[in-house]
Amino acid sequence: MTQLYENPNLASASSASSLVKIELLSEPWWRFFTFSTDHKVIGIQYLVTTFFFYLVGGALATAVRAELATPEADFLGFERYNGAFTVHATIMIFLWIVPALVGGFGNYLVPLMIGARDMAFPKLNAVAFWMIPPTGILLLVSLLTEAPAAGWTSYPPLSLISGKLGEELWILSILLGGTSSILAAVNFFVTILKMRMPGMKLEDMPLFCWAMLATSVLTLIATPVLAGALILLSFDLLAGTAFFNPTGGGDPVVYQHMFWFYSHPAVYIMILPVFGMISEILPVHARKPIFAYKAIAYSSLAICFLGLIVWAHHMFTSGTPDWMRVFFMIATMAIAVPTGIKVFSWLATLWGGKIRFTSAMLFGMGFVSMFVVGGLSGIILASVPLDIHVHDTYFVVAHLHYVLFGGSVFGIYAGLYHWFPKMTGRMLNEFWGRVHFVLTFVGFNICFLPMHKLGLMGMPRRVAQYDPQFADLNWISSVGAFILAISTLPFLFNAIYSWLAGPKAGDNPWEALSLEWTTTSPPPHQNFYGDPILLTGPYDYGTHSKETLDYFASQLKTLRELALMDTEAPHS
Amino acid sequence: MQGSLAPDMLVAGHTQAKAVHAEHPDHRLFGILVFLVAEACLFLGLFIAYLAFSLNSPVWPPEGTPERELLLPGINTLILIGSSFVIHQAKPAIKANNVRGLRLWFSLTALMGAIFLMGQIYEYSHLEFGLTTNLFASTFYVLTGFHGLHVAAGLLFILAVLWRSLKPGHYSPEYHFGVEAAEVYWHFVDGVWIVLFVLLYLL
Amino acid sequence: MSALSNIILVGIGILLTVTSLWYGQNHHLLPASAANSAPLFDSLFNSTLTIATGIFLIVQGVLIYTAIRYRKRRGDWGDGDPNHGNVLLEIVWTAIPAVIILWLGLSSLDVYQAINGGVGMGGHTHSGMAASEMTMAMEEPDHGAADSGYAYTPVVVPGKEVGKPELVVQVQGMQYAWVFTYPESGLVAGELHLPLNKRVRLEMTALDVNHAFWVPQFRLKQDVIPGRETYLEFVPSQLGEYPIICAELCGPYHGVMAGQLFVETPEAFERWQQEQILATRPDDSTLALAPQSESAFARAQQQRLGIPADIHQALQQGSQFSG
Ligand code: HEA
Ligand code: HEA
Ligand code: CUA
Ligand SMILES: [Cu+2]
């Protein structure tokens, strides 16, 4: 943990900030409960709120795994089981991954990284955030009533007959969350295109901003279609129309198309920002420039484009016409190419570096390792004949957790360890960070690796009771899930304790070069003391990073003193 | 790679030591346009669903759907399209600092929008099918109703601009974002209606 | 690069290939195969898994290697090598996945068509985008399901012409039970009996919500959807008893909606059919009033599964749509 403080390079930087005794303009705790329009406050609001929901979603997952520890439906029972996994998935996707990545990291980092004072529309930003708590409350209330129990995909006609109230609450919750994410996307799109500091071209942006640009395009195009589907579903549910109800002449498959037109792009909404964060984190801790900047930037756009035209790969067994299956199979597989470009570029970034094994780096490398497993099982799913066998089995459950947990959640943890010092001004404990990583990595693989085999051997998903031949693997998987549940505790306590009483971080504990590290930790309102300065590209490690860092540190010192004099002047 | 040393920026950093809030240009109109892209996707999704329903069923609209009157919706359509031209006159007016003109054109647009909505309500109350009569009827009501809500929102928007224009100097030849935004939104609502009209009445 | 490191590199390459090939053949991840098209699936799966294993090993290998070789050494707070691009390398790692994907796409197409043709046996139907010729699960509107004029275009497999299916079975999925109707004999049964090595066509529909018909040993799955008919065609190739699993969430008891499939010799199949017809003869209603007997089956099924009757009733009521 303390290794970073032994770093001689940091002497100047940390003494610069310790010179200033008064915590200039830092946030008092109650600001986080207000309608603040500061993107940094909003970012942290998102992260804390969504982490809470992660725990709730995780608790539900733990209940699901407890049910599945034995073949009989003896823990939750049939009905409650379906409600549990439905709400588990909905929380994880709509209240954890999407808002944590876009709302949390996106909000906190994008303006800092492009040298802006705030987002383009700060008030809209706050409005979007304050839609999240009601979204969650609606969903939690639905759990208390007759829970929505048709899976997070909520296919009609089943969703029309399993608990009207719960289903409608579920719909309202997602409509609200969807609106929030559309508003956020408008904000990001405009901010990234219009608010970059003078002199910063698109190709000078950190890769995270490219990823956020692609993400907002996906959100803008795809989310409204989900809203459309849910509005129609609501009418079927409440007003007795029959859009998706075959009894009245409707077509349930149309719902599936509309749902996946959003929900496939949604999985890239949930991974592109992580790709961006990994592209930030690996270079800093490997002390090397990112490899193939342009290829990574443009591959985000390629994924964005391809992501919009592959949705029917979730419907290979829905009676989809053959030409569609073939088209969507080829388009889906094509995504391996831009994704591969990223993966190989990350590996090349590590190659020849001087890798500092901070917790952020452990999770970053863990991400690469685990995401690839999920990506490869995705390629198997993309093949029509192979998917016909494994569709709706635990193989899919394994795939989705490898990309969403091994991918998105590992990435979020990497981001939390990396930017926690910037956000709070304090260091997380590195020892407990490592404990957290090991427990997560081990528990994760014990939990989800066996699911591949379960699915291939014949275990369907979404079942509370299963064939006893699958008992052993399921039991192992449940043990893994319990390890995973325990693994969150070291992080939780580490984060809370460090936020309150962790060692001071200094402004740039990782010696990073992107703009957010050239201001104080936490940054002041308006982000920068003077105008932000673009001395180097965000990844110019190994060339003149030493001088640059020293220059930034001394700059920051003087600017801060000047600012301090300014604020004190009226009093004297 | 990117960003070589930029000396002028360095100087700027030195001289502007104080955290001045740089006046940044107004991006609200661009924001509205981006938001309308999302709105367009919402309608596009519904349109495509409608097309899917119609292509999937052997007869469309399903047998037994009562004939629809074309006259009233046709007039209504002309009024709405006309209002787009009317509202377009407002911006030149305010650019010439003619607040009166602005009020005139906006009032006229609001009036036309209100007539459209009233016509819509009239049509609803005289149609021989209800929301749940059949799939066509359901899509008809949901699509036109959803559009009607957007017209109503646009109308409120226009009225809000009118209200503000009563305050002297609120809109000037340079600053009249509300006027532009209301116009853009109104054109959007108008465009959606044209597609809707073709889909629901003509095809 | 020294000769030694070249040798090491080649050695690693060979090791990697051998390991992937070995794992691709010895993964024990699939149940026994019992339909004609299943071996096609298996060989495609094995080769895909081989490639995936190779890519997996490369990525994890590089990660572990860099973690050891390029870790920060004690006291070294310097930066790494400032190299940030290599066009040749980038082209290579774009092109190789593209080629792999192309191969995988084409062989998937091939296998898909052969599975559709149903016979196959490693059969190599030509993959010239004959998508329109594929028949499996082609959707048709519900009306006209009775006449036999389904769109069936024979796929020519070298040396063997595929004709019409030799047995058609109508499959109904309903909440928590499968019902099978043999239109030729009018037999309605709760389990599916099929003769060995005969081409079978299932015409499937659902009565309430979506279900999916899945037999893992056949590697075949198809959603069963209310209001439309979907199809599945295959040739059972191994005698035995196999589970029919509902793979689409269809309500709380989705997990217990199971059926049984018996692949029998044609003689045993005939015998079973006769027995069944005799057993159901007394109430002559099997043919005419199929729906009634369906709910009878459903009830029997419910009892077998121990699902409380009132719950089922509530569900049935729920499925009386208002529209
Ligand atoms: C973060 C979320 C995320 C991500 C990134 C992905 C990524 C991919 N997914 Fe996944 N997917 C989900 C989340 C995600 N998925 C979820 C939640 C479901 C289930 C939904 C439900 O039903 O509930 C699902 C389901 C799903 C299905 C439907 C399965 C079914 O229901 O039958 C399919 C089918 O094609 C699929 C494919 C893919 C593919 C091809 C990728 C690709 O993008 C992966 C690309 C990456 C790689 C391939 C690895 C790196 C590349 C290289 C190292 C280069 C070399 C590689 C090759 C040459 C192969 N996914
Ligand atoms: C980002 C998305 C995400 C994440 C992170 C997870 C995380 C987990 N998931 Fe989830 N899962 C999905 C998305 C996700 N899942 C989706 C989309 C589905 C499909 C649903 C569908 O079919 O509709 C699914 C389905 C799904 C299933 C299949 C259900 C079925 O088909 O029948 C299972 C079964 O094991 C499972 C397990 C788990 C486990 C053990 C975790 C673990 O990683 C969780 C670890 C646990 C914690 C992190 C919580 C620890 C904290 C505590 C225990 C303390 C609690 C305290 C308080 C609340 C105060 N998930
Ligand atoms: Cu029937 Cu699941
Ligand atoms: Cu997908």
Side-chain angles (χ1 to χ4, degrees), chain A residues 16 104 113 245 372 472 507 529 540:
Chain A
M113 283 179 166
N245 189 339
V372 164
D472 293 347
D507 297 327
Y529 288 94
D540 290 351

Side-chain angles (χ1 to χ4, degrees), chain B residues 54-188:
Chain B
S54 72
L55 293 177
N56 271 352
S57 48
V59 237
W60 191 260
E63 276 170 61
T65 312
E67 272 300 306
R68 280 147 297 140
E69 180 73 51
L70 258 184
L71 184 64
L72 176 67
I75 295 174
N76 235 351
T77 306
L78 290 180
I79 292 175
L80 198 61
I81 295 177
S83 71
S84 247
F85 290 97
V86 173
I87 201 171
H88 190 62
Q89 307 305 315
K91 200 165 125 189
I94 188 65
K95 280 219 162 136
N97 207 9
N98 175 2
V99 181
R100 281 273 192 77
L102 166 69
R103 281 186 216 144
L104 171 71
W105 297 118
F106 262 57
S107 310
L108 204 55
T109 313
L111 186 68
M112 292 167 93
I115 293 175
F116 175 87
L117 278 182
M118 247 113 77
Q120 191 92 335
I121 291 169
Y122 178 85
E123 195 194 356
Y124 276 9
S125 58
H126 285 75
L127 278 174
E128 284 160 41
F129 50 80
L131 176 64
T132 57
T133 304
N134 62 28
L135 195 53
F136 172 79
S138 307
T139 39
F140 176 87
Y141 278 107
V142 169
L143 281 174
T144 53
F146 205 54
H147 175 263
L149 280 180
H150 279 77
V151 177
L155 196 59
L156 289 180
F157 200 163
I158 290 172
L159 292 176
V161 172
L162 269 177
W163 175 256
R164 290 195 169 176
S165 75
L166 295 178
K167 205 171 102 192
H170 190 91
Y171 296 113
S172 67
E174 294 82 32
Y175 297 102
H176 47 262
F177 160 72
V179 177
E180 286 178 308
E183 180 184 345
V184 167
Y185 187 79
W186 196 251
H187 289 323
F188 169 77

Side-chain angles (χ1 to χ4, degrees), chain A residues 273-286:
Chain A
V274 178
F275 288 168
M277 297 199 312
I278 296 300
S279 304
E280 299 303 321
I281 293 167
L282 296 190
V284 175
H285 300 270

Side-chain angles (χ1 to χ4, degrees), chain C residues 29-254:
Chain C
L29 290 174
L30 289 166
S33 75
N36 252 8
S37 59
L40 285 178
F41 171 98
D42 291 7
S43 71
L44 179 64
F45 181 78
N46 289 354
S47 25
T48 312
L49 191 63
T50 305
I51 295 173
T53 309
I55 296 172
F56 171 83
L57 290 175
I58 291 174
V59 173
Q60 311 297 341
V62 172
L63 273 176
I64 292 169
Y65 178 76
T66 52
I68 296 168
R69 170 81 168 72
Y70 298 112
R71 69 183 190 282
K72 181 189 84 68
R73 308 303 159 110
R74 188 171 291 279
D76 179 358
W77 291 96
D79 283 351
D81 160 23
N83 174 13
H84 56 73
N86 181 331
V87 178
L88 185 65
L89 210 53
E90 289 172 43
I91 291 175
V92 166
W93 70 46
T94 310
I96 292 181
V99 170
I100 295 177
I101 287 312
L102 202 64
W103 172 83
L104 184 61
L106 288 179
S107 22
S108 297
L109 190 60
D110 240 21
V111 171
Y112 181 45
Q113 282 179 309
I115 290 177
N116 277 331
V119 192
M121 296 315 303
H124 190 87
T125 54
H126 207 74
S127 64
M129 282 311 272
S132 61
E133 284 180 17
M134 294 185 271
T135 53
M136 192 178 81
M138 252 210 269
E139 15 165 346
E140 282 176 0
D142 199 29
H143 41 83
D147 73 40
S148 57
Y150 40 76
Y152 186 76
T153 325
V155 175
V156 181
V157 177
K160 192 165 182 184
E161 190 134 349
V162 185
K164 272 191 175 181
E166 292 154 280
L167 175 70
V168 175
V169 184
Q170 285 162 355
V171 180
Q172 264 116 17
M174 68 188 72
Q175 266 172 334
Y176 322 131
W178 296 102
V179 175
F180 306 98
T181 311
Y182 293 75
E184 273 170 45
S185 57
L187 179 66
V188 180
E191 41 190 44
L192 182 60
H193 287 245
L194 297 174
L196 185 67
N197 284 334
K198 291 257 161 67
R199 189 170 180 75
V200 181
R201 176 179 175 85
L202 303 181
E203 302 182 341
M204 308 191 285
T205 190
L207 298 181
D208 35 37
V209 299
N210 289 3
H211 303 270
F213 180 97
W214 179 35
V215 180
Q217 286 77 4
F218 288 7
R219 319 278 192 266
L220 288 177
K221 181 184 293 115
Q222 173 58 51
D223 283 7
V224 181
I225 303 167
R228 64 164 76 193
E229 193 160 285
T230 51
Y231 306 108
L232 213 47
E233 274 193 32
F234 52 87
V235 181
S237 64
Q238 295 288 323
L239 293 177
E241 184 194 330
Y242 307 104
I244 298 170
I245 296 168
C246 175
E248 181 68 59
L249 179 64
C250 55
Y253 298 96
H254 152 66

